[in-house]
Amino acid sequence: MQWSELLDVIFRWSHVVAGIMWIGNSMLFNWIDRNLEKSANLSRLSQGKIYMLHSGAFYDVEKKLLEPGEMPATLHWFKWQNFATWSTGISLLIVVYYFHGAAFLVDPSVHDVGPTIAITLSAAALLTGWLIYDAIWRTIGEIHPRFSTALSVIFLFAAIWGFTLVFSGRAAYMETGVLIGTIMTGNVWSVIVPSQHLLVEATSSGKAQNPKLSLQAKARSIHNNYLTFPLLFIMVSNHFSAATTHHLNWLILIVVCVGGAGVRHFMNTRYLGGGKQLVTSAWLAPAFAMGGVALFGLMFISHLEPRPKFGIDHPVKFARAQEIIAIRCVPCHSKKPSTFHSAPLGMMLDTPEQIKTMAPRIKYRAYDLANMPFNNKTQITDMERAELATWIDAGAHIE
């Protein structure tokens, strides 16, 4: 196993584990916040209390600010899951998209940019994106939250569109995901955790806690909550090449982000506080509608063709199809590929039998989607794509 492959496995596994822990905590604490029950029996600094049943016993949980000097002996923080998720995600970006001459980052058919410039643009976009978002919410966010929300959404959509103009489709989606993850991590380490530190310091020094700090931290936590579903889609998007390589890939991602965040919104509005909830139909129907928006982006837009497919009107024999596959496909899809350490997805096309077995997949990727060979590294032509499709449509005979 090559070092890059080993690092890919280690960072990917760690990223998934840390992400489950972070997102799980985020979902749980947001659910608790929306179900807290307030009563006259609670202290003046209490924000509510809730009883929960899990693992064979009852949990008695209360959310509150503390009186001066009331700091408990043991205090549990929830922050390292986020850092582990972000750091392993950045490591994956470097290993997968920055290594190997940025082969996965750059697609000459999208924008013929050198690897050094592409990597620089990618890294700079992450830092710039966070600075723009944070500046919006530190300057006008508290005064005009709705306007700031609209501005932030427009900024994100513009970033998605811009990424698809510079990077390969798959990389543009990942760059968007890392940008979202960077914003979420910035919220944790520049607003949420510092606010919590100030609350702890005030209590430890015998001073009253500032409720504004709690509200600031909660606002950024809610931002992260709405970004979670779009981010999760992006994490698995490289398995849906019909979206990432489509000529309207930016629009597909925007629609899916709107749908995903919309589903999360109506799941949140389900809870009215104090243990009360909306009737199921009042929140579930809108949530399903927003899910339909995301599904529309995936299924309908991804089937819009940019132009009529190139076709031919003469039969194609297997010898010609095999010749095309040997030149354009086998460099990657073989027992001993020349472009990768191993055949992607384990798909090999060395023998006639392997070619016949994979014929439907070959047509789907090389002709219907026209996104293989990867970034068209082997320079397949439209004529050759049509010849493969014609041979396959005629029965993919290898005799």
Side-chain angles (χ1 to χ4, degrees):
M1 179 180 288
Q2 299 292 324
W3 273 108
S4 59
E5 289 181 298
L6 179 60
L7 291 174
D8 189 335
V9 171
I10 292 173
F11 290 137
R12 196 176 298 273
W13 192 8
S14 302
H15 186 59
V16 170
V17 172
I20 291 172
M21 296 173 66
W22 175 32
I23 293 171
N25 282 339
S26 174
M27 295 295 181
L28 175 60
F29 279 105
N30 273 281
W31 179 88
I32 290 174
D33 281 349
R34 295 178 182 278
N35 285 276
L36 290 171
E37 299 180 25
K38 300 179 181 179
S39 71
N41 298 327
L42 300 177
S43 67
R44 67 180 184 88
L45 296 179
S46 178
Q47 298 178 18
K49 194 173 184 178
I50 187 172
Y51 281 96
M52 298 184 294
L53 179 64
H54 185 67
S55 62
F58 296 89
Y59 290 79
D60 180 5
V61 180
E62 182 179 5
K63 181 179 181 180
K64 63 180 180 178
L65 296 176
L66 298 178
E67 297 285 358
E70 196 184 1
M71 183 58 58
T74 302
L75 184 66
H76 299 281
W77 292 64
F78 294 84
K79 56 183 178 180
W80 295 114
Q81 298 97 327
N82 162 258
F83 180 79
T85 304
W86 180 81
S87 61
T88 52
I90 289 292
S91 298
L92 270 177
L93 178 70
I94 294 171
V95 170
V96 176
Y97 291 96
Y98 291 2
F99 281 11
H100 309 297
F104 284 91
L105 185 65
V106 178
D107 182 351
S109 66
V110 174
H111 191 72
D112 195 4
V113 60
T116 301
I117 295 176
I119 292 170
T120 301
L121 289 173
S122 171
L126 301 179
L127 176 60
T128 303
W130 157 250
L131 292 175
I132 292 174
Y133 161 82
D134 190 52
I136 291 172
W137 286 96
R138 287 187 185 275
T139 55
I140 60 176
E142 293 184 12
I143 305 172
H144 304 290
R146 291 187 178 180
F147 175 74
S148 298
T149 298
L151 199 59
S152 299
V153 171
I154 292 172
F155 151 69
L156 176 61
F157 291 172
I160 292 172
W161 177 70
F163 292 154
T164 61
L165 296 180
V166 178
F167 306 120
S168 70
R170 174 177 167 179
Y173 274 47
M174 287 300 116
E175 183 76 7
T176 302
V178 178
L179 173 60
I180 291 175
T182 299
I183 289 173
M184 296 171 73
T185 300
N187 283 337
V188 171
W189 291 93
S190 73
V191 178
I192 297 173
V193 170
S195 296
Q196 293 173 169
H197 272 296
L198 291 173
L199 292 172
V200 169
E201 291 171 6
T203 303
S204 299
S205 60
K207 299 177 182 178
Q209 293 181 334
N210 183 0
K212 183 179 179 181
L213 296 174
S214 179
L215 294 175
Q216 288 175 342
K218 183 58 185 175
R220 296 296 183 104
S221 178
I222 292 175
H223 292 185
N224 287 1
N225 179 258
Y226 279 98
L227 291 170
T228 299
F229 283 9
L231 180 59
L232 289 174
F233 166 76
I234 293 171
M235 289 175 66
V236 299
S237 64
N238 60 1
H239 297 288
F240 193 50
S241 57
T244 59
T245 62
H246 195 269
H247 69 291
L248 295 175
N249 53 6
W250 59 273
L251 181 59
I252 294 173
L253 183 52
I254 287 174
V255 173
V256 171
C257 285
V258 170
V263 170
R264 187 61 199 157
H265 171 72
F266 288 106
M267 290 176 68
N268 286 338
T269 60
R270 168 186 181 181
Y271 307 110
L272 302 175
K276 299 178 180 179
Q277 299 183 22
L278 286 173
V279 294
T280 301
S281 59
W283 69 269
L284 189 59
F288 266 107
M290 295 310 298
V293 170
L295 186 63
F296 170 83
L298 284 173
M299 303 307 299
F300 179 76
I301 301 177
S302 64
H303 281 79
L304 295 177
E305 296 292 346
R307 63 182 186 278
K309 288 291 185 183
F310 186 83
I312 57 176
D313 57 4
H314 59 81
V316 176
K317 295 185 178 297
F318 172 65
R320 174 55 181 160
Q322 188 176 30
E323 178 186 10
I324 296 171
I325 291 170
I327 297 172
R328 310 302 186 189
C329 308
V330 170
C332 296
H333 294 284
S334 68
K335 188 174 182 180
K336 296 181 179 179
S338 59
T339 54
F340 293 99
H341 299 304
S342 59
L345 301 178
M347 179 179 173
M348 290 177 279
L349 303 172
D350 298 301
T351 67
E353 291 74 19
Q354 290 173 330
I355 294 173
K356 181 175 179 61
T357 299
M358 299 306 300
R361 188 67 178 171
I362 292 171
K363 182 187 176 187
Y364 179 66
R365 297 300 298 274
Y367 182 77
D368 295 336
L369 297 182
N371 59 14
M372 282 291 160
F374 175 70
N375 289 349
N376 202 10
K377 297 292 186 183
T378 56
Q379 301 298 308
I380 191 172
T381 66
D382 285 346
M383 174 65 81
E384 290 169 333
R385 294 183 190 276
E387 288 179 297
L388 288 175
T390 299
W391 169 70
I392 294 168
D393 286 342
H397 300 295
I398 59 176
E399 296 82 8

